[in-house]
Amino acid sequence: MRRVRTRLTLWYVFVLASVLLLSWVLTASFLFLQLRGQLDHYAIQDIETVEGLLYFDARGDLSVREDYHNHAASKQVIDRLFEVRSAQGGVLYRNERLDGQALGDKLLPGEGEGGYSARSVRLADGTPVRMVSRRHTLDGRPLVLRLGYSEEAILGRLREFGLASLLALPLIVALVGFGSYLLAKRALRPLEEMACRAEEITSERLSERLPIGGAGDEMDHLATVFNNLLARLEQSFEQLRRFTSDASHELRTPLASIRSVGEVALEKDGTRAEYRDTIGSMLEEVNRLTALVDNLLTIARADAGRIALHPAVFSAIGLAREAAGLLDILAEEKEQRITVRGDEALTLTGDRVFLRQALVNIIHNAVKHSPVGGAISVNVQGDPLGGVRLEVADNGPGIAPEHAERIFDRFYRVDQSRSRDGGGAGLGLSIAQWAVRMHGGRIQLITAPGEGCTFQMSLPPAMPTKN
Ligand code: ADP
């Protein structure tokens, strides 16, 4: 936490310092260019003044008019740096301020032509000078006039500006750094509190939640997301706890039964027929255990998301016939008849094994709960959306409304005491529901109580793609 705060502050300070520096460079350049533009402007005005004062004396030397020093307009010329060259570059005149130094080096091609040209040069003593050149013809002789201003004043102004900024910059940066450190600390405080609370939440205290400030900001969003995660975790933990205790309970009953049957048989010598009976009922319990363990395994693997479906396209009515066929013997024992009807042309897309399992579980329930001699019908129809509906109807006792909601829950049985002879652990419908949901479909009980049961499996035309 402390590091995020420091990092935020450093980043802030870095960005601010860069912006300040950039704006300083831009301002300084602008200032410099503007001042220099002004110098050029003055130099041009001066050069025009001096032009009119030049003349060739009797010996042919270039001079500035006698009254140069008194001339009002040219008074300022004394302060400038002024030099005149011939078109070949030879020095024809140099004023006193130049003190014998050359103003700029040799002529550049085209210098001073077509108006004025300006450039920065250095005198021999190192003075930086802004120099303006202009071509001029005097008495038919071409001349190049050069007039310069020392740039020292401008550079001095820039230096002052730079120095002031240099003093102010660290102060501003330090102030802003301190401010942003406090701000970051304040902004991150709710996060720190959340972390403290989250640390206290263990698997035993999953019902606890993080506090929500109520400002509707990002922190609240984070806390809400975290709380939702906690709620889901709590639900999964609770489900797991219930599943484990229900599963152990279900496993204990047949094991206790095997044990008591065995103990009773061992107590006294029995006939061969009695032993066969004992072993038979033990095997019955073992079969029940095996079925239960198979179901538990399916559920555990489904929960872990480790079941891969192998989709295929197959006949819907073919699947219904196959499922009914698997239960024919059981139905015959109870003198029941399973009829399969429906559209022969309909096809299903999905994992045949799991869809068959779902259908078998539903038909098996119908067989178990219908009376002797009852009729079970399996109906296959298309639905308007291109999917398939498989309905299993029986004329058994039906399911009361208060149970209808919960029959798909794991280990839920309408009549707990009947499970011993019925053999179910309350997992059949939940496995069927899982299989149908994996195919993007749904399963529901659609009959009114007292009219037997009709379970409807609706499957879409295509399987949902996994994401
Ligand atoms: P089980 O494996 O014990 O049958 P299920 O999950 O398949 O468990 O079913 C849950 C409960 O729903 C059953 O215990 C039973 O009471 C009730 N049930 C399911 N199908 C029918 C039916 N066709 N008629 C009456 N009751 C049913």
Side-chain angles (χ1 to χ4, degrees), residues 235-262:
Q235 205 184 355
S236 303
F237 258 71
E238 184 47 41
Q239 213 174 336
L240 196 70
R241 242 196 296 262
R242 220 175 25 220
F243 182 71
T244 317
S245 80
D246 286 348
S248 346
H249 184 75
E250 290 298 331
L251 287 169
R252 228 175 43 197
T253 320
L255 283 174
S257 159
I258 292 173
R259 187 187 183 153
S260 69
V261 171

Side-chain angles (χ1 to χ4, degrees), residues 167-214:
L167 288 176
L169 194 76
L171 201 72
I172 294 173
V173 167
L175 274 177
V176 168
F178 182 65
S180 62
Y181 184 78
L182 290 184
L183 263 180
K185 192 173 160 181
R186 214 186 128 107
L188 292 174
R189 194 178 303 143
L191 211 60
E192 223 161 333
E193 280 167 15
M194 257 190 253
C196 283
R197 284 291 287 272
E199 251 169 357
E200 290 167 7
I201 299 175
T202 57
S203 61
E204 279 77 42
R205 297 169 65 181
L206 277 178
S207 58
E208 294 199 4
R209 296 288 177 266
L210 296 183
I212 294 179

Side-chain angles (χ1 to χ4, degrees), residues 178-397:
F178 182 65
S180 62
Y181 184 78
L182 290 184
L183 263 180
K185 192 173 160 181
R186 214 186 128 107
L188 292 174
R189 194 178 303 143
L191 211 60
E192 223 161 333
E193 280 167 15
M194 257 190 253
C196 283
R197 284 291 287 272
E199 251 169 357
E200 290 167 7
I201 299 175
T202 57
S203 61
E204 279 77 42
R205 297 169 65 181
L206 277 178
S207 58
E208 294 199 4
R209 296 288 177 266
L210 296 183
I212 294 179
D217 53 11
E218 287 88 344
M219 294 299 169
D220 279 2
H221 184 214
L222 183 68
T224 313
V225 169
F226 200 81
N227 283 346
N228 290 344
L229 173 78
L230 278 177
R232 285 199 298 275
L233 267 181
E234 189 187 8
Q235 205 184 355
S236 303
F237 258 71
E238 184 47 41
Q239 213 174 336
L240 196 70
R241 242 196 296 262
R242 220 175 25 220
F243 182 71
T244 317
S245 80
D246 286 348
S248 346
H249 184 75
E250 290 298 331
L251 287 169
R252 228 175 43 197
T253 320
L255 283 174
S257 159
I258 292 173
R259 187 187 183 153
S260 69
V261 171
E263 280 171 357
V264 169
L266 276 181
E267 265 171 18
K268 56 179 171 63
D269 288 341
T271 60
R272 189 180 160 81
E274 280 167 345
Y275 284 140
R276 279 182 71 94
D277 248 17
T278 305
I279 295 171
S281 60
M282 279 174 138
L283 279 182
E284 211 173 283
E285 290 297 335
V286 169
N287 283 345
R288 192 171 291 167
L289 263 179
T290 313
L292 179 61
V293 169
D294 279 350
N295 280 345
L296 288 177
L297 261 179
T298 307
I299 288 178
R301 284 171 57 217
D303 278 355
R306 288 225 310 274
I307 292 186
L309 297 184
H310 301 288
V313 180
F314 47 86
S315 153
I317 204 157
L319 183 84
R321 287 200 182 109
E322 192 182 328
L326 290 173
L327 293 158
D328 262 351
I329 297 174
L330 274 184
E332 268 171 29
E333 279 175 8
K334 290 181 79 176
E335 292 163 28
Q336 294 163 338
R337 211 160 42 89
I338 308 177
T339 45
V340 178
R341 275 194 305 263
D343 192 337
E344 295 280 339
L346 288 172
T347 56
L348 279 171
T349 310
D351 190 306
R352 193 184 170 105
V353 174
F354 283 108
L355 286 181
R356 189 183 63 194
Q357 182 66 54
L359 207 51
V360 165
N361 289 359
I362 295 170
I363 304 176
H364 192 185
N365 279 346
V367 172
K368 273 193 292 190
H369 298 288
S370 301
V372 174
I376 296 155
S377 69
V378 183
N379 203 358
V380 182
Q381 304 156 13
D383 74 11
L385 298 173
V388 174
R389 266 192 212 139
L390 294 149
E391 279 180 8
V392 178
D394 64 50
N395 56 358

Side-chain angles (χ1 to χ4, degrees), residues 14-225:
F14 172 73
V15 170
L16 182 90
S18 314
V19 169
L20 280 180
L21 220 62
L22 186 75
S23 66
W24 179 82
V25 169
L26 286 177
T27 314
S29 316
F30 179 74
L31 192 70
F32 177 73
L33 288 177
Q34 211 190 23
L35 290 174
R36 214 179 56 180
Q38 247 166 26
L39 274 194
D40 290 354
H41 180 72
Y42 292 143
I44 289 166
Q45 278 182 347
D46 290 348
I47 234 172
E48 280 172 358
T49 310
V50 183
E51 245 176 32
L53 302 175
L54 292 177
Y55 72 97
F56 283 108
D57 61 16
R59 285 182 293 144
D61 292 337
L62 187 69
S63 301
V64 177
R65 283 227 315 259
E66 293 271 296
D67 56 352
Y68 163 59
H69 292 287
N70 306 324
H71 200 282
S74 64
K75 175 79 182 87
Q76 48 186 292
V77 176
I78 313 164
D79 303 330
R80 315 285 169 255
L81 306 161
F82 181 53
E83 196 181 73
V84 181
R85 303 219 178 176
S86 69
Q88 289 71 38
V91 180
L92 301 178
Y93 178 83
R94 188 172 275 157
N95 78 347
E96 290 145 35
R97 273 216 63 191
L98 272 169
D99 210 10
Q101 301 169 90
L103 179 57
D105 40 19
K106 60 180 188 307
L107 285 186
L108 294 183
E111 181 178 325
E113 271 172 14
Y116 307 88
S117 55
R119 67 178 197 269
S120 294
V121 295
R122 262 181 197 282
L123 296 187
D125 63 7
T127 315
V129 168
R130 185 68 181 169
M131 178 186 89
V132 170
S133 314
R134 174 170 164 76
R135 296 259 166 180
H136 180 65
T137 312
L138 186 65
D139 299 341
R141 288 174 62 183
L143 304 173
V144 177
L145 276 56
R146 280 177 167 181
L147 192 137
Y149 271 78
S150 162
E151 275 182 341
E152 221 130 46
I154 311 183
L155 294 175
R157 288 274 296 276
L158 273 184
R159 261 196 296 277
E160 277 165 25
F161 176 67
L163 203 68
S165 312
L166 218 64
L167 288 176
L169 194 76
L171 201 72
I172 294 173
V173 167
L175 274 177
V176 168
F178 182 65
S180 62
Y181 184 78
L182 290 184
L183 263 180
K185 192 173 160 181
R186 214 186 128 107
L188 292 174
R189 194 178 303 143
L191 211 60
E192 223 161 333
E193 280 167 15
M194 257 190 253
C196 283
R197 284 291 287 272
E199 251 169 357
E200 290 167 7
I201 299 175
T202 57
S203 61
E204 279 77 42
R205 297 169 65 181
L206 277 178
S207 58
E208 294 199 4
R209 296 288 177 266
L210 296 183
I212 294 179
D217 53 11
E218 287 88 344
M219 294 299 169
D220 279 2
H221 184 214
L222 183 68
T224 313
V225 169

